[in-house]
Amino acid sequence: MVEKSDRAPLLDWEEVPPAEKPVPTPVQEKDVKGPSPANSRAIDTSLSSRSTIPTPAEWDAQCPDKDDHTPASGQGEVPHDIMVKWEEKDPIVAVFVVTFDTRSGNMLEWCLPEDMNLEGVEFKAMASGSHRVSSDFIYFRKGGYFGLACFANMAVDSVVERGARMKSVGILSTSYTLLYRYMSFLEHQVRLQLKTPGQYSPLEAFFEDKRSVLPPDGESVVTACPGSAWGAALNHCMHPEMKITHPAGCMSQFIQFFGEQIMVLWKLALLRRRILIFSPPPVGVVCYRVYCCCCLANVSIPGVGVAVPEFRPFFYVNVADIDTLDTELSYVACTTEKIFEEKRDLYDVYVDNQNVRTTRESLKPLLRLSAADREKYRKLTEQRQMLLYSQEENGDCVSSEEDHFILFFLEQNNRIFQTLSEVAGRPEPILTQESVRAMGLDPHGDRLFLLHLLETYGYDSLLVTEHPCCS
């Protein structure tokens, strides 16, 4: 039985481009440019309110100052070359079509450039179990690149195709932060491929317009936001031009889905643990959760975390990624393949639906919520209600749930590391119960988390024999 994707509630702003204009021009691209994060609209989880949601053009009219990213007083300026590099042209390096053949399985049907090494992309762009859904979208990694593919399943009167035609149309880029721009285009193209297979002209024109020429050494490949751009460049760097079609756009649903468990995921993300999320198709919404996990670990204090493994999103992974994941020290990914649950050496934490578990004895105590965790979650939900009330009563188009959630954890993380840095700089670097509470932590309930944190980030000088918070 084919199930309908649960993606619709997350994409309230999305507009499918008209058939006669499948390829966005530079002018069109400017017109559909989403609002900056500081002004992006809060997500409405009610399907009944979809008819009242403004279009991108209407939103631009409501928020004329959406492109004002002037750093606040005291934040300092971000070097111009960093910002220019982050906002430069969309680096599309490949476009492709994947099809399902009843005899051969997943196959790469067509691609540009023709000499691009896309081995294995046919299994990333069409997730295992996709035949059970009518449509889906998938974020993934392919070597040093990131990809986005839109999948569709259409019933056909064909014995050869066994009554169903399945295809995916996707792109590869040097960064995942701008892939959302092409979601509607890819969805339209995959439907076109299902109805009229072999019509590649729009994809050829798209690639010609958006293609990126990479240097031989591949130095332009961007896998994460430049660390020096954090803080002052929050709007540009943490979740650029956020729209509902961009992974960061579902932070509110992410937290509502996990509830208090979000505090457990926050700690594990901050500790740079390997997190694997399992879910049957559709996988698109789970790719969103991958990105949201990464947002929990943001820190904007210069120098913090430079010596720890980078917490990178792998998005969708399958059995072909086992060797790659085996070498990773820190990551967050999702899969539809249950076999991963048995590969316990590949992950530290396994998330199945809302069940967060681990086989690592040292991490099991971290799955229990402390009093401080519950208090933080209470404040988070309380502030969210106040924000929603302000938006409803005052028509506030400046504040957004997404900014609120991301900044909440950014400030919490900064608070922890600012306190640790201050204590480490004292003649007697001893953590007291007072300093632990200043971090927003529970001196007793967060004891093990704090010890893991000190070890992970190299605050060895703070591990003294008579540790007031750890006795």
Side-chain angles (χ1 to χ4, degrees):
M1 179 179 179
V2 175
E3 301 173 1
K4 185 177 180 181
S5 171
D6 63 353
R7 172 174 172 269
L10 297 178
L11 302 175
D12 290 336
W13 289 355
E14 184 180 31
E15 291 185 335
V16 177
E20 64 272 14
K21 298 179 181 180
V23 183
T25 64
V27 175
Q28 290 172 321
E29 190 173 295
K30 182 179 180 180
D31 291 339
V32 300
K33 182 178 179 181
S36 69
N39 299 287
S40 55
R41 186 181 183 279
I43 300 175
D44 193 334
T45 57
S46 171
L47 292 177
S48 63
S49 65
R50 290 172 66 84
S51 61
T52 64
I53 295 175
T55 64
E58 292 170 338
W59 187 255
D60 288 350
Q62 293 176 24
C63 302
D65 62 339
K66 66 182 186 339
D67 290 322
D68 182 8
H69 300 293
T70 305
S73 176
Q75 287 183 318
E77 297 290 340
V78 177
H80 179 68
D81 58 335
I82 293 178
M83 296 312 301
V84 169
K85 180 178 181 181
W86 189 248
E87 297 182 305
E88 60 189 8
K89 295 180 181 180
D90 306 341
I92 304 301
V93 298
V95 58
F96 58 86
V97 177
V98 167
T99 188
F100 177 78
D101 183 83
T102 55
R103 295 182 179 180
S104 305
N106 295 13
M107 296 179 59
L108 180 63
E109 176 183 314
W110 174 90
C111 71
L112 280 180
E114 295 180 354
D115 59 351
M116 184 77 170
N117 178 16
L118 294 179
E119 181 181 358
V121 76
E122 64 270 26
F123 299 105
K124 292 178 176 292
M126 195 176 290
S128 176
S130 290
H131 62 279
R132 294 193 290 267
V133 298
S134 59
S135 63
D136 201 0
F137 64 101
I138 307 170
Y139 283 85
F140 60 90
R141 276 189 58 188
K142 166 64 178 168
Y145 304 118
F146 291 91
L148 170 63
C150 286
F151 165 85
N153 181 358
M154 182 179 75
V156 294
D157 185 13
S158 170
V159 176
V160 175
E161 295 178 283
R162 298 178 185 174
R165 181 177 298 158
M166 292 176 280
K167 292 181 183 290
S168 282
V169 176
I171 54 178
L172 286 183
S173 174
T174 55
S175 170
Y176 58 83
T177 56
L178 297 179
L179 290 174
Y180 74 93
R181 288 183 173 183
Y182 310 110
M183 179 81 77
S184 293
F185 172 74
L186 295 175
E187 285 185 322
H188 178 72
Q189 288 303 308
V190 73
R191 287 192 291 268
L192 183 64
Q193 288 298 319
L194 288 176
K195 295 176 181 178
T196 56
Q199 298 296 318
Y200 307 123
S201 297
L203 294 174
E204 291 170 345
F206 169 83
F207 183 66
E208 186 62 30
D209 182 51
K210 300 296 182 183
R211 68 186 304 173
S212 174
V213 180
L214 299 178
D217 57 9
E219 288 184 355
S220 67
V221 174
V222 179
T223 58
C225 177
S228 55
W230 288 114
L234 179 65
N235 290 351
H236 288 278
C237 202
M238 185 176 295
H239 40 289
E241 300 175 319
M242 184 171 58
K243 286 178 62 177
I244 303 304
T245 48
H246 184 250
C250 71
M251 181 63 76
S252 57
Q253 281 93 341
F254 171 69
I255 295 181
Q256 290 174 47
F257 178 79
F258 284 107
E260 288 184 334
Q261 288 289 95
I262 194 70
M263 306 313 302
V264 173
L265 292 173
W266 161 64
K267 290 179 179 179
L268 295 169
L270 202 58
L271 293 177
R272 300 295 198 264
R273 293 305 187 248
R274 299 172 299 168
I275 302 174
L276 183 62
I277 304 173
F278 168 80
S279 176
V283 73
V285 67
V286 193
C287 289
Y288 284 157
R289 292 171 192 157
V290 167
Y291 185 84
C292 291
C293 275
C294 287
C295 290
L296 299 177
N298 291 327
V299 180
S300 63
I301 298 177
V304 172
V306 295
V308 300
E310 182 184 355
F311 192 57
R312 296 189 296 175
F314 267 71
F315 296 108
Y316 176 73
V317 295
N318 55 31
V319 291
D321 296 300
I322 287 179
D323 289 342
T324 300
L325 294 180
D326 192 39
T327 64
E328 292 293 322
L329 299 176
S330 175
Y331 73 83
V332 56
C334 64
T335 187
T336 60
E337 301 183 14
K338 198 68 173 177
I339 191 175
F340 272 95
E341 186 175 7
E342 303 171 6
K343 307 289 184 180
R344 297 179 178 178
D345 56 328
L346 295 180
Y347 59 84
D348 299 313
V349 180
Y350 188 82
V351 182
D352 187 345
N353 198 25
Q354 289 146 311
N355 183 18
V356 182
R357 60 179 185 266
T358 180
T359 58
R360 305 282 189 269
E361 292 298 327
S362 62
L363 295 180
K364 286 183 178 179
L366 299 185
L367 304 186
R368 295 192 294 267
L369 293 171
S370 68
D373 290 333
R374 290 191 168 89
E375 176 62 17
K376 280 192 285 288
Y377 184 74
R378 185 193 65 78
K379 289 181 180 178
L380 186 64
T381 53
E382 185 179 84
Q383 291 174 15
R384 173 179 178 268
Q385 292 302 321
M386 293 175 62
L387 177 62
L388 294 178
Y389 177 80
S390 174
Q391 291 173 333
E392 182 178 349
E393 292 295 312
N394 306 321
D396 181 9
C397 70
V398 175
S399 303
S400 80
E401 281 190 89
E402 275 54 58
D403 283 339
H404 166 64
F405 286 131
I406 292 174
L407 287 171
F408 181 90
F409 287 101
L410 175 67
E411 291 171 357
Q412 174 62 48
N413 298 341
N414 285 351
R415 183 179 175 186
I416 289 175
F417 289 105
Q418 183 64 40
T419 303
L420 287 177
S421 297
E422 291 174 356
V423 174
R426 296 172 183 170
E428 295 185 5
I430 301 176
L431 277 173
T432 64
Q433 292 192 25
E434 181 181 7
S435 57
V436 174
R437 290 193 181 95
M439 299 179 200
L441 301 178
D442 184 331
H444 301 289
D446 288 323
R447 168 184 173 274
L448 186 60
F449 168 64
L450 184 57
L451 291 176
H452 277 298
L453 198 71
L454 297 176
E455 179 182 7
T456 301
Y457 288 86
Y459 288 95
D460 298 332
S461 61
L462 299 182
L463 292 176
V464 295
T465 303
E466 296 184 282
H467 205 298
C469 72
C470 306
S471 58

